[in-house]
Amino acid sequence: MFRRIYQWLDERLNIGPLWRDLADHEVPEHVNPAHHFSAFVYCFGGLTFFITVIQILSGMFLTMYYVPDILNAYQSVKYLQNEVAFGVIVRGMHHWGASLVIVMMFLHTLRVFFTGAYKSPREMNWVVGMLLFFVMLGLGFTGYLLPWDQKAYWATQVGVKIAGSVPLIGPYIETFLKGGDVLGAQTLARFFAIHVFFLPGVLLALMGVHFILIRRQGISGPL
Amino acid sequence: MSDKENGQGMSRRQFLTYTLMGTGAFMAAGILTPMLRFAVDPALKRTSSAGKVEVGKVDDFGPDYKLVKFKVKIKDGWHEEEAEKSAYIRNKDGKILALSPICKHLGCQVQWNTSPDRPNHFYCPCHNGFYDENGINVPGTPPQAPLDEYEVEVKDGKLLLSLTPKPRGGA
């Protein structure tokens, strides 16, 4: 049945080239764990992407209950975690995934570094990867405040103070991050906006560039 | 089917395709099932509406409708508040009738005896809906059912209403 539906669509829309361009390409032997088990190190990039997809999905669902407001944020998190079905699972995915995505990204970076895959002509993709790393750290930093509990509050207080210690422009960065003089209502509102709109937008754009460059330049050769 | 073995059964390629698709579907389901169940939870949650609320003395009510407002505790997710509800109550011929003022057409608030077109009717200003003095919808106007009715109970001369009004039959 699926085949018939696919053929019907393909006759009219010629969708074959679309997905082939995305998914149908050779995997070289030296990156295929079926040939050399040690090639599993080449999976970390894909795993980072996989967890990112889970983060985006679970985050979207969490915003169905979460409110970024100092009076209600903690209560809404408590409610969605304890009283909504599977709340503890969906928030758990987002919570643990947030740490795991950093771990996977770090392992991916190590593999790229130690296989020398960043070398010419792939320098620009290393740069894009570094930008992705910082965007991901930004997502972790802004997301940490959102439950608005003691840990969130004081961790952000410390983080904002560290940002404020930058020479010359530090105080401006601190005020920009806090959205005012105190760490409070305005901080939570803008951290939420940065966490769910600005950084994910940048993240998706950079991931697009990252993948296009891989397709254009191919996977680097064996050691 | 070019690489079929012995000319029968499933080809190796097809077996692998099914296995991979099955595994992928299993993983996707494992990720999406909790999220979807999480999202539809409000629709599956049972709301308890047991209990009664006092609205005044029985003697306060006569044969003409009187609008009473009363507070009911409601739990809206993490937010709890005392919401104001209201009922049209009359005590006529020893029978107490307590009607919900929520129009059965699209949920506006009906008013007693405010339209000069039909005196002694409930009138809904949103789409000109009418109900007669017993709360029965007037045919030919938008509402398709009578106004909901609160269960009433008299205790020590005080009038108690059920927390949620129930639909009535008939038209």
Side-chain angles (χ1 to χ4, degrees):
Chain A
M1 187 186 73
F2 291 119
R3 169 163 304 218
R4 302 257 311 269
I5 293 172
Y6 175 79
Q7 279 167 352
W8 190 91
L9 283 172
D10 197 38
E11 269 169 34
R12 274 142 256 258
L13 304 172
N14 192 25
I15 51 179
L18 283 178
W19 71 262
R20 275 186 195 283
D21 194 47
L22 271 177
D24 197 22
H25 49 98
E26 293 274 309
V27 176
E29 190 186 314
H30 71 282
V31 306
N32 188 344
H35 287 274
H36 312 283
F37 181 68
S38 62
F40 74 85
V41 293
Y42 285 90
C43 292
F44 292 133
L47 287 172
T48 308
F49 176 68
F50 178 63
I51 300 170
T52 304
V53 170
I54 294 181
Q55 290 304 98
I56 290 172
L57 283 174
S58 57
M60 281 166 63
F61 280 94
L62 285 173
T63 56
M64 283 189 154
Y65 292 96
Y66 176 76
V67 284
D69 166 71
I70 53 171
L71 296 178
N72 292 302
Y74 181 76
Q75 293 303 321
S76 69
V77 172
K78 196 175 161 193
Y79 175 79
L80 75 85
Q81 165 140 356
N82 296 319
E83 294 188 49
V84 181
F86 287 110
V88 72
I89 307 261
V90 177
R91 182 150 113 93
M93 283 180 179
H94 207 71
H95 174 97
W96 295 107
S99 296
L100 203 55
V101 81
I102 305 274
V103 171
M104 289 301 163
M105 204 168 43
F106 185 62
L107 292 174
H108 175 60
T109 311
L110 286 183
R111 190 234 90 204
V112 171
F113 183 79
F114 284 112
T115 56
Y118 58 87
K119 291 176 186 173
S120 175
R122 293 176 239 278
E123 301 96 323
M124 279 320 291
N125 220 9
W126 172 268
V127 171
V128 172
M130 280 297 116
L131 293 176
L132 274 167
F133 205 121
F134 290 122
V135 168
M136 210 57 106
L137 290 181
L139 281 162
F141 179 59
T142 50
Y144 207 70
L145 178 69
L146 302 185
W148 201 247
D149 52 11
Q150 287 289 326
K151 193 169 66 166
Y153 186 89
W154 295 110
T156 304
Q157 171 69 20
V158 170
V160 165
K161 277 287 170 202
I162 293 172
S165 68
V166 172
L168 297 174
I169 55 167
Y172 296 103
I173 297 175
E174 189 181 332
T175 310
F176 169 77
L177 284 175
K178 287 203 282 199
D181 295 332
V182 289
L183 178 50
Q186 302 193 83
T187 320
L188 184 56
R190 66 176 47 211
F191 268 49
F192 180 73
I194 293 170
H195 187 76
V196 305
F197 291 113
F198 292 89
L199 289 183
V202 177
L203 186 83
L204 289 175
L206 286 173
M207 285 202 310
V209 176
H210 206 60
F211 298 156
I212 288 168
L213 289 183
I214 296 170
R215 291 308 304 281
R216 185 148 297 179
Q217 302 177 319
I219 292 169
S220 60
L223 289 175
Chain B
M1 306 293 157
S2 54
D3 48 351
K4 228 182 237 180
E5 282 169 359
N6 307 328
Q8 58 170 342
M10 190 182 282
S11 70
R12 216 177 261 236
R13 173 172 292 267
Q14 202 162 33
F15 172 76
L16 274 173
T17 306
Y18 285 163
T19 314
L20 282 173
M21 278 169 64
T23 312
F26 181 76
M27 286 172 71
I31 292 166
L32 287 172
T33 310
M35 296 181 185
L36 293 172
R37 178 63 183 79
F38 177 77
V40 301
D41 191 53
L44 299 176
K45 241 185 191 138
R46 276 201 194 88
T47 50
S48 74
S49 55
K52 302 248 160 142
V53 59
E54 187 192 318
V55 292
K57 289 188 198 130
V58 181
D59 302 339
D60 294 345
F61 301 100
D64 202 16
Y65 280 109
K66 195 166 140 187
L67 183 68
V68 289
K69 294 183 193 268
F70 52 97
K71 297 253 165 107
V72 172
K73 262 196 187 141
I74 59 162
K75 193 170 179 294
D76 179 12
W78 56 91
H79 180 66
E80 286 179 38
E81 66 173 353
E82 296 227 306
E84 195 176 74
K85 287 194 162 195
S86 51
Y88 275 109
I89 304 179
R90 74 168 183 195
N91 188 354
K92 196 181 181 186
D93 307 329
K95 196 172 174 295
I96 299 168
L97 184 62
L99 296 173
S100 160
I102 309 298
C103 183
K104 297 294 280 181
H105 178 221
L106 290 168
C108 294
Q109 188 116 351
V110 300
Q111 300 154 0
W112 169 245
N113 202 11
T114 52
S115 170
D117 297 342
R118 283 179 216 252
N120 291 321
H121 273 68
F122 288 103
Y123 169 61
C124 181
C126 287
H127 306 92
N128 292 317
F130 283 99
Y131 304 82
D132 70 13
E133 56 163 351
N134 296 315
I136 309 296
N137 52 307
V138 174
T141 68
Q144 298 295 312
L147 290 171
D148 287 352
E149 187 181 349
Y150 287 95
E151 278 173 41
V152 293
E153 189 187 325
V154 179
K155 209 174 181 181
D156 305 329
K158 290 186 176 135
L159 183 62
L160 306 175
L161 296 192
S162 57
L163 289 184
T164 30
K166 289 211 168 63
R168 299 193 290 175

